[in-house]
Amino acid sequence: MSAAPVPVTSDVDDPSIRAPLVLGRQNFATVSDSVSTIVERKAPKTWFLLLGLALSILAILGGSLVDLVWKGVGRWGNNHPVGWAWDITGFVFWIGIGHAGTLISAILFLFRQKWRTSINRAAEAMTIFAVMAAGIYPAFHVGRVWLLYWVFPFPNQMSVWPNFKSPLLWDVFAVSTYATVSILFWFVGLVPDLATLRDRATTRTRQIVFGIFALGWRGSHRHWLNYERAYMILAGLSTPLVLSVHTIVSFDFAVSVMPGWHTTIFPPYFVAGAVFSGFAMVLTLMIIVRKAFGLEHLLTKRHLENMCKIILATGSMVGYAYAMEFFIAWYSGNDYERYAFVNRAFGPYKWAYWTMVSCNVICPQLFWFKKIRTSIPAIFVISIFVNIGMWFERFVIIVTSLHRDFIPSSWGYFRPTLIDISTFFGTFGLFLTMFLLFLKFLPSIAISEVKGVMPAADPHHHDDRHEAHEGLTGGTGNEDHHESDPEAVHA
Amino acid sequence: MSKELTHAARGPQDIAKLTPEQAKKVVTFGAVAAVVGLAVAGAAFAADKQRFAFSYLVGFMFVTTIGLGALMFVLIQHVVRAGWSVGPRRQMEWITGILPWTVALFVPVAMTAHTLYEEWMGPNGHTDKAIAKKLGYLNPSFFFTRAAVFFAAWALLSWWFSKTSAAQDDAKKPGEITLKMSAVSAPSIFVVGVTLTFAAFDWLMSLDPKWYSTIFGVYIFAGGFWSSLALLALVTLYLQGKGFFAKVSTVEHRHDIGKLLFGFTVFWAYIAFSQFFLIWYANIPEETIFFKHRWIDSWQTVSMTLLFGHFVIPFLWLLPRTIKRHKLGLGIAAAWCLVMHYVDMYWLVMPNLDHHGAHFTWIDLGGLLGPVGVATLAIALRASKGNLFPVGDPRLPEAIRLQNL
């Protein structure tokens, strides 16, 4: 093995070797550098431009919500018979986006998928921001947002309790647990990297701020041992959590007796769809990030290709679920079930239905072709289509099932109001603002984890040149105080 | 290949082939199992034709789902370029050996189809308004055509993947064969996913043609995959106990198989709970009838056995790392899981016959032992031929290096 040349591209198809996850002649110091400098250097002009744009969109959200609170929830277009529309669509859309982060950080970790290391940090950050964006909807749909704490069951003098039989209450538990564990998981993973930034700090403020959040991390063996244990436990806990969240979101609909909502495949179908949409969002964002910050050697084409394959797999699962729903609606022989699906595909919302099918079922099938899943422009376009398709999926499920009630006098056609549109548009402002701040102020790639998957970190690695250790006194962990010494790198 | 082995993999290699005597013993064991199984099944058939039809369907579905689970395992290992499972994959290829035999095993089902599927195959199908609506799908000629397609697809995939994997053992360019299997496995997962789903609808769900559930295919997949892992664990433990596999399949691989078994214990429970919970909560009569039938008298006990035996007990048992690595610990779990998979199939089929409560008889044993005997022979025939692990797989050194730190 020692004699085999280290491949420098990610186009390795020889099954006897694993494609490198970090390209070029990289060592631990250059990996630290390429990620840390994003935080340390002054942000590029484009970043300020984008932040300005994101803040403007965020302002639209603020304005919409003020209007909503001031004048009432009637400012949204929800009305009989469609009493639930863009609000819950937006909620499910954002919650779904978050799922990729946890899948990458927890499930791929348990399956020893080392390629996750380059994308997990940003994906987990995305998870948290997506959950924040999702939270906007239930929070403001209660009308008097200052009474939001009533969603939690607590003893009170009015003896008013939330309905424990309602999946909406289970959502409160599921989403808040999920958000808490996701933040913990993200933070635990950040600790060694924050210590790296602390040790490289050139200003006192940076040293103190990163120092506080690094929790006194010194990279000792005992620290690493505790870290790895905590990480494993959090991964184990997050795995059922990530399934539970979208399962309970699917219960919001599936426990009802509504044709189009009540079907047993909903839980796994929603989870697959959530992972599908989350990976699409990771791709959309990371394709820009890796280019903008020059991280192509850490987030290689191979990483993108792997994500495309996951999109293909989960997109096909979603397609399977659509097919099952249709087949069983027919097979059930129930006229209402059958009508709900015929109406979905050929009724007044057929445009939405076929947009959904084109984006979610047909579009990802293009990833069967290697040419397409290795072409960055193609991946970017398809990832956006998937994002669009997954928004439409929720819209189709929610609105088409409601708009024609059992009695034709209760039929209607939902049209969003300006505030519907501006609220949803505005949540992108929140999401992007948070994401841009994250990119600038925190290491957007897990430095210590990427080092762990480099050949030099393998105890079986016998490279006489000791490339990765050039200038270092040894060790594979956090000798970042060495790395911050510019001479050490070139020694 | 030896050049690529690191120090962990150096030294004498594992025995890759059974001696002719050992191979003969394996086949004899399989043949005896098949003969005994078929004899008991024959006696059961003679004793009570109607009951046997249902009992046999339980046994048939028991082995077919295990074979399909094994096939899915093989396909998934190829598609994700798995390194750890190179050794165990060969044992799973043996288990997929059940699939080409399922067409023969189906003959008694086909012969008794009018008893099993009386509700829609019989005259009632045309008079009952709710069933008449679905006769476009549920009619004997389409039913048997579909079955033929399923068997052809499964036999072809089982045969091709085992043959290609065996050919790799002494191929000049084994890497290319790995790539070929990887490429074919992705679309094959589609084929198995769809055929498994409709087979589940046809052979199990249509026993009660008025009942329907969109998750049913996933439910059958979950149980099949889970029990194929349990059988893999038993085969692995047996071979390890006989002194084979000092390297390609060790305590580390056992641990990984145990982890997957644990994971799919939860996955099955998740799918089963989703199905139960949504039906229970919505409380629509045409759906709840399924669980209602399984809550009559002693069926309650069987339902609770599934809850605890198929989920709670194996979940708690397989949780500690020590158990998954312990020979006896994992062995008990694996045997238990196989029994529970049988209970699951029994619970799906038999309430359609025993409307007033579960009562297990020796006829049911005959229905089980027939297919199990034939399946044992099918696996034994594969195991007796060729190498015990894919000696030419380029990822073998990686599999040998596996460590669960």
Side-chain angles (χ1 to χ4, degrees), chain B residues 147-265:
Chain B
V149 172
F150 304 155
F151 293 128
W154 300 340
L156 183 72
L157 289 175
S158 158
W159 168 78
W160 190 83
F161 275 94
S162 304
K163 184 206 74 159
T164 314
S165 173
Q168 189 184 41
D169 288 358
D170 31 39
K172 285 214 178 70
K173 287 183 177 167
E176 282 173 14
I177 295 183
T178 297
L179 292 180
K180 191 164 79 177
M181 288 194 285
S182 182
V184 178
S185 62
S188 303
I189 290 178
F190 268 67
V191 174
V192 179
V194 172
T195 49
L196 186 157
T197 302
F198 283 98
F201 289 167
D202 284 2
W203 302 337
L204 294 173
M205 202 165 85
S206 82
L207 286 168
D208 181 355
K210 286 185 191 169
W211 183 76
Y212 51 87
S213 170
T214 43
I215 208 174
F216 197 74
V218 189
Y219 179 85
I220 296 302
F221 161 74
F225 200 84
W226 184 70
S227 45
S228 73
L229 287 166
L231 186 56
L232 173 66
L234 284 184
V235 173
T236 302
L237 284 165
Y238 178 77
L239 288 168
Q240 289 178 356
K242 286 280 166 190
F244 294 99
F245 300 161
K247 290 177 170 187
V248 293
S249 178
T250 63
V251 60
E252 304 298 337
H253 302 82
R254 220 155 61 211
H255 188 181
D256 272 1
I257 295 168
K259 284 191 251 180
L260 282 175
L261 190 60
F262 171 78
F264 275 86
T265 305

Side-chain angles (χ1 to χ4, degrees), chain A residues 112 165 247 262-264 320 333, chain B residues 133 197 214 256 270 281 287:
Chain A
R112 298 194 288 256
K165 290 184 201 164
T247 295
H262 172 75
T263 186
T264 47
Y320 170 91
Chain B
K133 277 185 185 168
T197 302
T214 43
D256 272 1
Y270 168 60
Y281 197 113
E287 289 185 348

Side-chain angles (χ1 to χ4, degrees), chain A residues 85-359:
Chain A
W86 276 44
D87 49 345
I88 190 91
T89 305
F91 168 74
V92 182
F93 174 78
W94 281 116
I95 286 282
I97 298 278
H99 278 55
T102 323
L103 183 103
I104 292 166
S105 50
I107 300 182
L108 293 188
F109 176 75
L110 295 182
F111 279 103
R112 298 194 288 256
Q113 297 299 300
K114 290 179 174 177
W115 59 278
R116 66 182 265 292
T117 51
S118 301
I119 45 170
N120 68 341
R121 174 67 46 73
E124 284 172 50
M126 197 194 73
T127 295
I128 295 162
F129 309 144
V131 172
M132 286 166 65
I136 297 279
Y137 290 99
F140 282 86
H141 201 174
V142 301
R144 301 175 192 176
V145 67
W146 51 93
L147 296 179
L148 182 64
Y149 64 95
W150 285 13
V151 299
F152 294 104
F154 59 92
N156 56 83
Q157 77 273 29
M158 297 174 287
S159 291
V160 175
W161 293 88
N163 183 0
F164 282 94
K165 290 184 201 164
S166 163
L168 296 179
L169 179 67
W170 313 336
D171 262 343
V172 172
F173 298 143
V175 175
S176 54
T177 313
Y178 180 58
T180 312
V181 175
S182 296
I183 291 169
L184 273 176
F185 201 11
W186 185 60
F187 180 66
V188 167
L190 264 169
V191 167
D193 289 0
L194 292 174
T196 302
L197 289 171
R198 173 198 64 198
D199 296 343
R200 294 169 56 104
T202 44
T203 66
R204 190 79 185 128
T205 328
R206 206 179 273 163
Q207 195 179 24
I208 291 174
V209 173
F210 284 126
I212 289 170
F213 288 104
L215 306 177
W217 178 269
R218 255 159 218 85
S220 70
H221 275 295
R222 179 173 299 193
H223 282 185
W224 278 113
L225 189 67
N226 288 337
Y227 169 86
E228 301 241 327
R229 272 195 193 143
Y231 204 87
M232 178 67 96
I233 291 170
L234 282 168
L237 287 176
S238 301
T239 300
L241 259 182
V242 67
L243 268 86
S244 78
V245 176
H246 233 60
T247 295
I248 290 176
V249 168
S250 82
F251 286 173
D252 291 349
F253 311 102
V255 296
S256 70
V257 290
M258 287 281 298
W261 280 12
H262 172 75
T263 186
T264 47
I265 205 168
F266 254 36
Y269 152 40
F270 266 50
V271 173
V275 171
F276 178 58
S277 69
F279 267 90
M281 189 59 101
V282 173
L283 275 175
T284 312
L285 294 176
M286 294 318 278
I287 284 174
I288 301 172
V289 169
R290 73 195 275 276
K291 185 90 192 148
F293 293 113
L295 296 171
E296 285 106 329
H297 57 296
L298 296 180
L299 216 168
T300 67
K301 265 193 177 179
R302 184 100 171 178
H303 288 89
L304 301 181
E305 198 189 338
N306 283 349
M307 287 194 264
C308 291
K309 287 180 181 173
I310 292 189
I311 287 193
L312 174 57
T314 48
S316 305
M317 288 181 202
V318 168
Y320 170 91
Y322 294 164
M324 282 308 116
E325 280 191 309
F326 247 87
F327 174 72
I328 294 291
W330 175 83
Y331 179 90
S332 73
N334 181 321
D335 291 336
Y336 301 100
E337 280 288 333
R338 286 180 176 188
Y339 180 76
F341 284 89
V342 170
N343 183 46
R344 208 174 254 190
F346 306 107
Y349 285 105
K350 61 172 185 250
W351 57 274
Y353 181 81
W354 293 106
T355 307
M356 168 190 100
V357 171
S358 322
C359 292

